[in-house]
């Protein structure tokens, strides 16, 4: 090990889903090689009182660090709170609604130790039904949106691996699912960690792009396997999840504003407007979203601001 005390810091966010958090912790402890030095940090993102009490009573605080936030600071903010108390060579940002199916920590750690140019990786993902799902995506570039990955793969197959062909060996990808990101601590710290301007969505795109632009790579390592019970920390009664879709477009347009020039962003906004507007017959919420995008997806409508400090 380096001067840091642990090989890996596993950082989990708990938000009104304590049962999943406890199950996730149990899967880590059950499947991880006992010779690996790791710590588990749980950041409670302003859960309801009964959920936090369940967390405190359900974990061994002599082995697990629990950090309590009085405000829901979102995905990036909560993970950065975990980083502040971590002391490890690698950070494993793992959604609390995940279960490790094998020794992911040791497999990903061993891979990263053998690949010094890689800063971010993840394993093979299975959904709540135990069915395999692809666990990587491409950067959402204008070129990709206009031409599609199948066409671009003809000219650059290494840059656009087929998402629907199950990988058999570690493969370079643009970015991995935010539910499981195993990140080299020094690389993460070099670029300033997560951008906490993101409340929900697009954090993994932004992180992977900044790593790529500073010379670091992202890989999918299929030998590591985990199960993801998706969206267990999101609550909405909207038939098209309108508040969360608004939040997505706030984050997405911020991503383009931050990482590309103004003309690029205008082109993206135009494409998004027509894509959403043509769905208005399915639900009027799509028309609302289309005009929301044209207005620039103002951040003042973020879910971040629809809460009070406890």
């Amino acid at each position: 090990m380096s001067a840091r005390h642990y090989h890996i810091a596993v950082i989990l966010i708990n938000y009104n889903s304590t049962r999943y958090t406890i199950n996730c912790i149990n899967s880590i402890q059950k499947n991880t090689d006992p010779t690996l030095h790791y710590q588990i940090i749980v950041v409670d993102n302003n859960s309801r009182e009964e959920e936090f009490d369940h967390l405190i009573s359900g974990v061994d605080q002599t082995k697990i660090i629990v950090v309590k936030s009085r405000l829901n600071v979102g995905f990036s903010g909560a993970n950065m709170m975990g980083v502040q108390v971590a002391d490890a060579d690698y950070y494993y940002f793992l959604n609390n609604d995940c279960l490790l199916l094998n020794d992911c920590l040791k497999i990903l750690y061993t891979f990263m130790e053998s690949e010094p140019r890689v800063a971010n990786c993840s394993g093979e993902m299975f959904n709540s039904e135990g069915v395999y799902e692809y666990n990587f995506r491409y950067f959402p570039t204008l070129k990709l949106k206009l031409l599609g990955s199948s066409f671009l793969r003809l000219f650059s197959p290494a840059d656009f691996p087929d998402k629907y062909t199950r990988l058999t060996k570690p493969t370079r990808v643009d970015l991995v699912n935010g539910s499981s990101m195993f990140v080299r601590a020094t690389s993460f710290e070099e670029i300033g960690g997560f951008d906490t301007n993101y409340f929900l969505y697009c954090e993994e795109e932004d992180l992977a792009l900044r790593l790529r632009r500073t010379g670091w790579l992202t890989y999918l390592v299929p030998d590591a396997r985990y199960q993801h019970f998706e969206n267990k920390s999101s609550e909405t009664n909207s038939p098209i999840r309108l508040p969360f879709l608004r939040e997505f477009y706030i984050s997405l347009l911020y991503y383009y504003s931050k990482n590309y020039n103004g003309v690029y962003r205008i082109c993206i906004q135009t494409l998004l407007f027509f894509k959403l507007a043509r769905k208005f017959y399915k639900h009027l919420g799509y028309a609302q979203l289309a005009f929301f995008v044209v207005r620039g997806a103002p951040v003042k409508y973020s879910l971040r601001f629809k809460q009070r400090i406890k």
Side-chain angles (χ1 to χ4, degrees):
M1 282 192 297
S2 69
R4 307 191 190 209
H5 285 86
Y6 296 93
H7 293 123
I8 303 161
V10 184
I11 300 174
L12 309 174
I13 301 173
N14 184 65
Y15 177 66
N16 295 328
S17 50
T18 302
R19 177 168 62 91
Y20 285 93
T21 300
I22 292 173
N23 289 341
C24 181
I25 291 170
N26 289 340
S27 77
I28 295 167
Q29 295 173 332
K30 174 184 175 183
N31 288 290
T32 301
D33 184 336
T35 65
L36 197 64
H37 297 282
Y38 67 96
Q39 59 181 158
I40 297 176
I41 300 164
V42 180
V43 180
D44 186 84
N45 217 0
N46 195 26
S47 295
R48 294 186 296 268
E49 185 175 351
E50 63 271 19
E51 287 283 345
F52 182 68
D53 290 343
H54 182 196
L55 176 66
I56 292 299
S57 63
V59 302
D60 183 350
Q61 292 187 73
T62 64
K63 298 179 180 178
I64 295 169
I65 299 172
V66 177
V67 180
K68 170 66 173 173
S69 176
R70 295 176 57 207
L71 185 71
N72 185 337
V73 293
F75 179 88
S76 294
N79 275 317
M80 290 302 284
M81 288 180 71
V83 166
Q84 290 186 63
V85 297
D87 184 18
D89 297 318
Y90 296 93
Y91 303 133
Y92 189 21
F93 301 104
L94 182 65
N95 274 24
N96 71 323
D97 56 353
C98 291
L99 296 176
L100 301 193
L101 300 178
N102 61 5
D103 193 354
C104 286
L105 270 64
K106 186 65 176 287
I107 293 168
L108 296 176
Y109 173 78
T110 302
F111 171 78
M112 293 288 269
E113 286 288 282
S114 68
E115 297 288 345
R117 294 181 60 220
V118 179
N120 184 15
C121 69
S122 188
E124 199 172 53
M125 182 174 70
F126 297 82
N127 66 19
S128 58
E129 305 300 321
V131 177
Y132 165 80
E133 290 190 353
Y134 63 85
N135 190 31
F136 67 93
R137 298 197 301 279
Y138 317 115
F139 290 125
T141 61
L142 185 60
K143 176 175 64 174
L144 177 68
K145 292 184 177 296
L146 289 172
L147 300 176
S149 60
S150 297
F151 180 79
L152 294 172
R153 189 176 303 115
L154 297 174
F155 303 94
S156 186
D159 292 328
F160 296 93
D162 187 355
K163 291 191 293 186
Y164 301 102
T165 299
R166 196 165 174 179
L167 300 175
T168 58
K169 62 181 181 180
T171 302
R172 177 175 60 83
V173 297
D174 283 349
L175 62 133
V176 292
N177 194 296
S179 62
S180 165
M181 293 185 288
F182 194 96
V183 182
R184 192 179 302 274
T186 51
S187 308
F188 182 82
E189 292 157 4
E190 175 187 323
I191 64 167
F194 286 115
D195 180 346
T196 55
N197 287 304
Y198 295 100
F199 185 65
L200 288 173
Y201 308 115
C202 299
E203 303 92 345
E204 59 264 49
E205 286 89 346
D206 185 79
L207 181 72
L209 183 61
R210 286 186 290 129
L211 287 170
R212 174 74 65 87
R213 286 178 171 177
T214 50
W216 296 102
L217 301 177
T218 297
Y219 265 70
L220 195 288
V221 184
D223 284 348
R225 299 183 179 93
Y226 74 100
Q227 187 172 17
H228 185 203
F229 298 83
E230 200 165 0
N231 296 324
K232 297 306 177 184
S233 294
S234 299
E235 299 176 338
T236 177
N237 295 317
S238 170
I240 65 164
R241 298 172 56 83
L242 194 57
F244 291 90
L245 283 170
R246 256 198 311 265
E247 195 69 40
F248 170 74
Y249 287 109
I250 290 170
S251 293
L252 185 63
L253 290 185
Y254 172 68
Y255 168 83
Y256 288 117
S257 295
K258 174 185 174 183
N259 294 302
Y260 299 92
N261 62 40
V263 174
Y264 198 101
R265 175 185 160 123
I266 290 171
C267 291
I268 288 291
Q269 276 182 271
T270 303
L271 283 175
L272 291 174
F273 171 77
F274 285 110
K275 176 183 175 182
L276 290 166
R278 69 184 184 182
K279 294 182 180 180
F280 78 93
Y281 65 91
K282 294 182 179 180
H283 194 286
L284 285 177
Y286 288 112
Q288 295 176 37
L289 284 169
F291 287 102
F292 184 69
V293 165
V294 166
R295 293 164 56 202
V299 71
K300 69 180 181 179
Y301 295 105
S302 172
L303 295 170
R304 180 196 304 270
F305 305 118
K306 298 185 183 299
Q307 57 181 327
R308 296 181 179 179
I309 300 175
K310 290 183 181 178

